[in-house]
Every structure is written in structure tokens, then in C-alpha cells.
Amino acid sequence: MSPLVFANNAPTLAERCKDAAGIALIALLLGIPMIGLTTADQGGSLQVLTRWPLLGAFVAAAFCGRLALRYGLDMLKQRRQTRDREAAARPGKRGVRSIRILELTGWLAFGIALVLPILFSDNRYVVDTATTVLIYVMLGWGLNVVVGLAGLLDLGHAAFYAVGAYAYALLSTQFGWGFWTALPVAGLTAAVFGLALGWPSLRLRGDYLAIVTLGFGEIIRVVLTNWTDLSGGPNGISSIPRPTFFGLPFVPSSDTGTFASFFGLEFSPMHRIIFLYYVILLLSLLTNVLVKRLRRLPIGRAWEAMREDEIACKALGMNITNVKLSAFALGAMLGGVAGVFFAARQGFISPESFTFNESAIILAIVVLGGMGSQLGVVLASVVLVLLPELGRDFAEYRMLLFGAAMILIMVWRPGGILSHREPTLRHQPAGEQA
Amino acid sequence: MRAGMSAENTILSVEHLTMRFGGLAAIDDLSLAVPAGKITGVIGPNGAGKTTFFNCLTGFYKPTEGVVSLNHPTRGALRLADLPSHQVAHVAQVVRTFQNIRLFPKMTVLENLIVAQHNALQKASGFSLAGILGLPSYRKAEQQAVAKAVDWLTRLNLIDKADTPAGALPYGTQRRVEIARALCVDPLLLCLDEPAAGLNPRESGELNELLLRLVADAKLTILLIEHDMSVVMNVSDHICVLNYGRKIAEGTPKQIQNDPNVIKAYLGEEDADELLHAEVSA
């Protein structure tokens, strides 16, 4: 058999050849029946023919391929080791650089998000897709509080998304509330549902909590499907009013003036699309600032501490009930706000939009992005929304590619795309410690 | 024995404490008076009920029977078993460490110590409102919390590790961080569950000095579970020995070392073979 080859004591050429010869031998044994022998129809009877040159080529390819693969892997391993050694030699410096890069990436993403609808003002598809990405960013940031910071595995986040959407749909269609007045009310409603989920599951953790949240998500969906009087059942709620620009609707003509007529512009359906894009951008930026600030406050540190060790928190006199419920309530509220936006953008909602699949995607965004990382959520949302879009050309292989890509990302970075955790406060400025 | 000790000098009195798990009495009718400002050692063979005793004190278990009462200088007598578990640390100021270290491994040492001051900071942050707005009152409170943490880190010689994730530190250092974190809660009574476990002789020597210094400087009382006799016998003013949930002896280290019951509990019946074995391994 081929000997194991370790990178740190680089193998000699003879060792490499021996290793490759072992592989070539296996290739030969496999190749004799599979390639070397073949059958052909000759005058009605089946005859066995041999293809030795082809087999020879196959074995040679296996030999060379093994040499190249082994060499390539060893090089990679050595490079990684040198890099790790260098990093260990000056930890501070590398830390500072990576933080700088992260900050820069964040601002870059913000800049792109800001100018994107201007650059693509005539391309509805791009702006629409970007709006979808931002909805997922916002949902991801909401769930990140619960899963990433507080460490509570929540498989039912779509429930709060649904509560927010239905709260707005009902408030606007039944009571004529506007988007901006309904937004905080729907958010608070979702927060109350968050408390309703958090309260009975206070003692649960990990897998058990996941099951309860999964059930909760299904309960909300099933209730919405069956309580026809309230939610319209499977038909959902349609003709939900679209948000207006300070009272100016985005329609071709209206008695009270429209957005286009007020600003003396020619009517274009793109105005509303772009306006919606900036609304969700604003909402997600507010979310980002809120969550970032909370993380540096006692409550945020308490969330993280609870994720790390709940018993230690108790021993330090922390009221775990409050810490847990606040995480649930805040996460639910942010999900609810995203739901309000979703309902206003679509104009139509039904229980179909809030299935378990949705919860799974939001959770995938948080895990893929790197638990607790704000920028990671953005990158993961882009990946998860764009991959299926880009994969449209592959038709039926689309979801296969999507799954393969997710597996590859998790193999490449098991902690998520960005697993770096920046301390909430430092004794010495970053990089000054030895 | 300190039977004549007056009530003012007793910070914690345990009376007829019993903790049963089904038919098993992990603690059986334990009575103990812990003198204030001293180090009291609790020793006993494995499974004697020492950690269960700590769990009863610190609100992790509700005792089956008996009273644990803390003599708080400003809040009067507090029955620990009647307090919600998180108030044992917050209101009664009884703080513990754990046999298997329980730090917040991904958070830095400084963050660990700031989390310990959660209740005060949470109040100062106006339950996050003042904090979100970044009001100066909150900023000041946070600076004070950091100053306190830095003070303890300096005293425990941990200051150069302040920004290191706690989980990345060596075992002995983690033990010290856990003690520093407990001290940030302002304990009246500090319960240490095997603080010397896994420490090398030099480190446990340092631990001895640290414990003696804490009692002298910080005016706190320490209750110490420990297997390392070089620690218990050197620092304890008073020792209580448990075996099968019962108190079998109590007194000064010297008295305990010569107590026939204790020798029996640790070494078995006075059997020539076993005594020989004990001498060989000592």
C-alpha cells in the first residue's frame, strides 16, 4: 500500500513515485475489467476484445494525476503552516489588519447598496433582487440576535415574519392605517409573539428549543391557513396598500397629486421600486445600528454570556429570564418589521410565503454568515439569494448547485464566512498587545 | 471547636440542612456556622456531598429540609433557599466558582469581568435606553465597571491577559480569571469549588497567598472546597469534614489532622495494610 505522506517532512521523489505507483496499481486492477476488456458484437456473436493501449493511458493518467494531486496538497499544507506560524509570531498585527479589512468591506457594501438603484435605475430585475436581498439581510440580523448572540436555536423565525406581515395587512385593509404608523405597531405585535414563544421555552436549550420553535412556526402558519375569517385562509389577503412618499402615491394619476406630478417627473413604475428599495435599506440600516449598539451594552454582553454558559450567568446574579425574553422579543420585532415591509411590497400575502422553508433559509443565512457577525449575514444573504438566481440557467440542477455551494462554503469555513468575533470593549487598543 | 462564637461573627449559619435525591440523602442534617472574615474549608472524600452543599447555598438546588441563613450587614438575615437563584449573587452577595471552570470562553477576560457587573450596568444603562442613546451617565458607569475589572485584574496579576479570549488561556490562569470574575460581583461570601484542582505546586502556592490576601484586604469570607491538602491545611482557619452527607468533624486544621473519624473516613478502617499504603503514597 502507499505510505502516508506528511507535508512537514517533505517526501523525496522516490517516496512520491512509490505513492503514485500504489495508486497506479489500483487503477490497473480496476481498469482491466472496466477498460482493458470490452465486448463487441461480431457477426451475431459476442466477442471479448482487449484495449491495452487505452488501459495503459488510463494507468499513466492515474500515476501522473496522483503525483500532481499529492504535490499540490503538500504545497497547500505547507503554505498554510507557514502562514499560521507567521500569524502566531505577530498576532496583534494580523488581527488589526483583518478588522480593517472587515470595516472597509462593510463601508464598501454600504456604498454599493446606496448607489445601486441609481446605477440600475432602468433595470427592474436588479433592483427587485437587491430588495429581496435586503429583506433577507434584515431577517438575518433579527435572527442573529436570537441565534448568533443569545445562542437560542430558533427554527421558527418565519412565524414572526408572518405576524408582522399579517398585522400590517389587517391594519391597513381593515382600519386604513398607513405604512409608517402600522410599522411600529406590527413590530410590537411580533415582539409580543416572541415573548409568547420565549415564555414557555425558557428552560429549553439547543435541540429541544429548536423543536419547540419549529412547532411554533408551524402553529402560526396552520392558524393563518385555517382561520379564514381573520386571515382569509389559503387565499391570503390581497390589495394591501403600497407605501406612499409622505402621502404621495406612486400611481399614474390621482386627484390629490402623485409622486411623479409633485416632482414634475414623467410617471414611471420604477419610482416605486426604487422607493421601496430605499425604504428597506433604511430599515435595515436602523436595525444594524440598533443591534451593533445593543451588542456593546450590558444586555448584549449578557446575551453572549448566556450563549457561552447559562449556569455561570446565573451564578453571577444575572436574571436569565429577562435576558432570554429580551433576545426573543427583539429578534421577533425585527422579523415583524421585515414582514411589514414584505406585505407592503408584495401587496398580497398568503401562508405560502411563511413556510418552514423560509425559516430554514433565514437560519442558513445566519449560520453561513458566521454566528453573530453582522457583515457575515449580508454576505450570506447575497450568496443565498443570488445563487438560485444565477442558477436559473441550470434549470433542474439549480437546487443541486445551491446545495453543493452551501456544503463547499461550510467545508471551507466551518465557522461561517466571517467567524471573527470583535470584543465589545478593549483594555488596550487593538494591535498594541504583544 | 468554636461553639461559643457569638452570632455577629457568623456570616452564614446552616441548620439541619438536608438534600435528598429520591432515596439518597446527599446532605444529611448538616449544621454549620461560618465565621465572618475567615477561610472555612470543607473537605471530604469523593461523593461526600461538598458540591451539593455549595449548590444548596447558591440557589442551584432547593434544599429538602433545613435553613441556610446569611447574616447580611445591611439587609439583615436572608434565607438563601427562599431567594430566586439569581438573587443569591445579586442581593445576598454569595458568589461561587465551579469545579469545572465555567468562563465565557469566546469573550475576552475583560468582558468576562464586565459581565459579572451586569446588574449594576444594566441599571445604569436605563435598561438599554440610556445606553443606546450613549448618555454620559451610562458611559461613566461603564468606565467605573472597567476600572473595577482592571483593578482586580491587576491585583490578580492578569492585566496583560485582559484582551485575550478566556478560552485561550492555560488552565491555571483560567482558574484565576474565574476568581477575579467572582470578585467583580462584590461578594460577601465567596464559595470556591476546588480552586486548586489542576494547578501545579507553584500555582497552588500562589493561590494560598491570594486567598489569604483577599481575606485580609477585601474583608470577605471564603468557603473553600478543596482536595489539595497543602491548600486547605495552610489557609483554612476552620475546617468542616463531610462524609456521606454528614458532618463527621469540625475544628482547626491541627484538630482535623488528628481526628480519628477523619482518618477513618479518608483511609478506611485502621488496617495495617491501608495505613502502610497511605504512608507510601504520602
Side-chain angles (χ1 to χ4, degrees):
Chain A
M1 286 311 292
S2 60
L4 276 174
V5 183
F6 291 105
N8 36 6
N9 39 356
T12 60
L13 185 67
E15 274 171 338
R16 283 187 194 285
C17 287
K18 205 173 152 196
D19 168 58
I23 296 295
L25 182 68
I26 297 171
L28 179 70
L29 291 176
L30 284 173
I32 289 173
M34 289 164 71
I35 297 169
L37 304 174
T38 184
T39 53
D41 184 23
Q42 280 190 339
S45 67
L46 213 54
Q47 278 205 323
V48 178
L49 300 178
T50 55
R51 296 190 296 188
W52 301 129
L54 191 62
L55 178 65
F58 173 67
V59 171
F63 183 81
C64 297
R66 174 67 182 183
L67 271 184
L69 178 73
R70 206 55 260 184
Y71 187 68
L73 285 178
D74 287 351
M75 289 298 285
L76 268 180
K77 213 166 176 182
Q78 241 152 15
R79 251 182 42 201
R80 191 174 301 163
Q81 274 174 350
T82 354
R83 210 178 54 203
D84 287 353
R85 258 201 303 277
E86 274 169 14
R90 355 176 269 266
K93 218 166 188 176
R94 184 160 179 254
V96 172
R97 219 179 66 198
S98 70
I99 296 165
R100 291 256 166 76
I101 292 174
L102 282 185
E103 267 177 12
L104 222 65
T105 320
W107 284 108
L108 193 72
F110 174 61
I112 293 174
L114 213 54
V115 299
L116 184 120
I118 300 169
L119 293 178
F120 293 93
S121 61
D122 49 354
N123 190 336
R124 184 174 174 165
Y125 174 71
V126 170
V127 182
D128 258 342
T129 310
T131 310
T132 311
V133 169
L134 283 177
I135 292 181
Y136 280 107
V137 167
M138 185 150 178
L139 286 168
W141 279 341
L143 188 63
N144 209 0
V145 172
V146 184
V147 179
L149 294 183
L152 305 162
L153 187 49
D154 181 358
L155 285 179
H157 200 62
F160 308 120
Y161 188 34
V163 168
Y166 272 86
Y168 171 64
L170 291 172
L171 284 173
S172 62
T173 56
Q174 305 294 321
F175 304 101
W177 285 38
F179 178 79
W180 295 106
T181 39
L183 191 72
V185 177
L188 288 179
T189 313
V192 170
F193 274 80
L195 293 179
L197 168 65
W199 188 256
S201 51
L202 275 174
R203 290 164 168 274
L204 304 176
R205 269 191 82 79
D207 319 5
Y208 305 98
L209 181 67
I211 294 169
V212 171
T213 54
L214 178 71
F216 181 79
E218 286 302 288
I219 289 172
I220 296 283
R221 192 181 60 80
V222 170
V223 166
L224 289 175
T225 314
N226 292 295
W227 195 355
T228 320
D229 294 342
L230 180 82
S231 64
N235 296 329
I237 300 175
S238 53
S239 57
I240 300 166
R242 305 297 172 87
T244 56
F245 187 81
F246 300 103
L248 296 169
F250 294 89
V251 288
S253 63
S254 157
D255 302 336
T256 52
T258 67
F259 176 78
S261 69
F262 187 84
F263 289 98
L265 300 166
E266 202 178 317
F267 172 76
S268 156
M270 276 309 287
H271 290 160
R272 184 170 60 83
I273 307 293
I274 292 174
F275 172 68
L276 281 173
Y277 175 86
Y278 278 116
V279 169
I280 186 70
L281 185 63
L282 176 76
L283 289 177
S284 29
L285 285 179
L286 282 176
T287 305
N288 188 20
V289 172
L290 179 76
V291 174
K292 263 199 159 150
R293 288 220 143 184
L294 281 175
R295 196 181 154 243
R296 285 166 194 278
L297 288 180
I299 188 68
R301 280 192 283 263
W303 287 334
E304 286 199 80
M306 186 174 70
R307 175 192 69 199
E308 302 284 295
D309 198 321
E310 205 174 309
I311 289 175
C313 287
K314 233 185 255 178
L316 295 173
M318 206 181 276
N319 189 339
I320 288 289
T321 309
N322 292 351
V323 176
K324 235 181 212 181
L325 288 182
S326 62
F328 267 121
L330 184 73
M333 189 190 82
L334 295 174
V337 168
V340 172
F341 177 81
F342 177 77
R345 177 200 185 205
Q346 301 286 335
F348 165 75
I349 51 168
S350 77
E352 287 283 285
S353 313
F354 310 105
T355 53
F356 170 66
N357 208 18
E358 209 64 20
S359 300
I361 289 181
I362 306 167
L363 186 67
I365 285 174
V366 173
V367 176
L368 205 62
M371 304 267 244
S373 163
Q374 297 283 90
L375 187 58
V377 165
V378 178
L379 296 178
S381 305
V382 171
V383 169
L384 282 195
V385 175
L386 287 193
L387 263 185
E389 291 295 326
L390 293 176
R392 280 190 195 282
D393 295 340
F394 297 97
E396 65 260 46
Y397 299 111
R398 191 173 137 209
M399 290 322 276
L400 190 72
L401 284 178
F402 179 72
M406 280 192 66
I407 292 172
L408 280 179
I409 293 176
M410 286 328 269
V411 169
W412 172 52
R413 311 219 67 166
I417 299 173
L418 296 176
S419 52
H420 172 80
R421 180 185 176 276
E422 176 61 14
T424 57
L425 77 179
R426 284 178 175 278
H427 175 54
Q428 286 174 311
E432 277 183 26
Q433 68 264 49
Chain B
M1 299 287 268
R2 305 190 181 197
M5 200 161 43
S6 65
E8 289 95 284
N9 289 340
T10 306
I11 188 156
L12 181 85
S13 67
V14 179
E15 281 158 37
H16 305 292
L17 180 72
T18 300
M19 182 75 217
R20 278 198 199 91
F21 298 103
L24 175 83
I27 298 179
D28 195 359
D29 196 27
L30 173 68
S31 295
L32 178 69
V34 177
K38 298 269 164 72
I39 298 181
T40 301
V42 178
I43 62 171
N46 285 330
K50 305 181 297 290
T51 298
T52 308
F53 173 51
F54 264 29
N55 284 338
C56 288
L57 288 189
T58 48
F60 282 87
Y61 293 157
K62 294 286 170 225
T64 320
E65 280 165 43
V67 177
V68 182
S69 138
L70 182 92
N71 200 354
H72 195 284
T74 54
R75 297 189 176 101
L78 296 169
R79 287 189 165 203
L80 294 184
D82 295 344
L83 293 175
S85 59
H86 64 273
Q87 287 194 358
V88 172
H90 178 40
V91 175
Q93 292 171 279
V94 176
V95 185
R96 69 174 295 183
T97 65
F98 293 88
Q99 196 175 347
N100 41 348
I101 304 171
R102 285 186 176 276
L103 289 171
F104 307 124
K106 281 188 192 152
M107 304 175 88
T108 65
V109 170
L110 182 62
E111 283 178 307
N112 267 273
L113 268 65
I114 299 291
V115 168
Q117 305 173 53
H118 174 78
N119 286 307
L121 275 176
Q122 177 75 343
K123 214 168 164 189
S125 79
F127 297 91
S128 300
L129 277 177
I132 285 195
L133 301 173
L135 295 188
S137 65
Y138 170 69
R139 287 212 196 132
K140 208 176 140 207
E142 195 186 62
Q143 277 164 9
Q144 281 171 351
V146 171
K148 186 170 162 188
V150 166
D151 178 43
W152 279 120
L153 287 177
T154 315
R155 288 214 237 167
L156 269 67
N157 198 15
L158 288 163
I159 194 66
D160 52 328
K161 303 280 186 289
D163 293 326
T164 314
L169 293 171
Y171 197 79
T173 316
Q174 289 195 18
R175 284 245 175 250
R176 258 187 301 153
V177 173
E178 207 188 12
I179 295 175
R181 188 180 68 178
L183 288 166
C184 277
V185 191
D186 292 327
L188 278 174
L189 176 65
L190 181 62
C191 304
L192 302 173
D193 197 346
E194 297 199 22
L199 299 192
N200 62 37
R202 187 179 55 83
E203 286 173 324
S204 61
E206 285 170 2
L207 179 75
N208 283 358
E209 280 171 38
L210 171 69
L211 296 182
L212 291 170
R213 216 167 59 215
L214 282 177
V215 171
D217 297 354
K219 310 262 181 292
L220 49 77
T221 308
I222 292 180
L223 200 57
L224 177 74
I225 292 181
E226 191 48 73
H227 276 302
D228 187 336
M229 289 302 154
S230 73
V231 174
V232 185
M233 294 299 166
N234 284 331
V235 302
S236 303
D237 299 293
H238 190 70
I239 292 177
C240 165
V241 189
L242 299 183
N243 194 22
Y244 295 113
R246 287 174 171 277
K247 181 169 81 180
I248 56 170
E250 195 179 354
T252 61
K254 199 148 220 136
Q255 288 168 331
I256 294 299
Q257 276 164 332
N258 300 321
D259 191 300
N261 279 331
V262 177
I263 295 170
K264 209 166 91 182
Y266 268 91
L267 306 176
E269 294 297 328
E270 280 194 53
D271 179 72
D273 264 6
E274 298 219 30
L275 274 179
L276 184 71
H277 176 72
E279 273 168 12
V280 170
S281 61

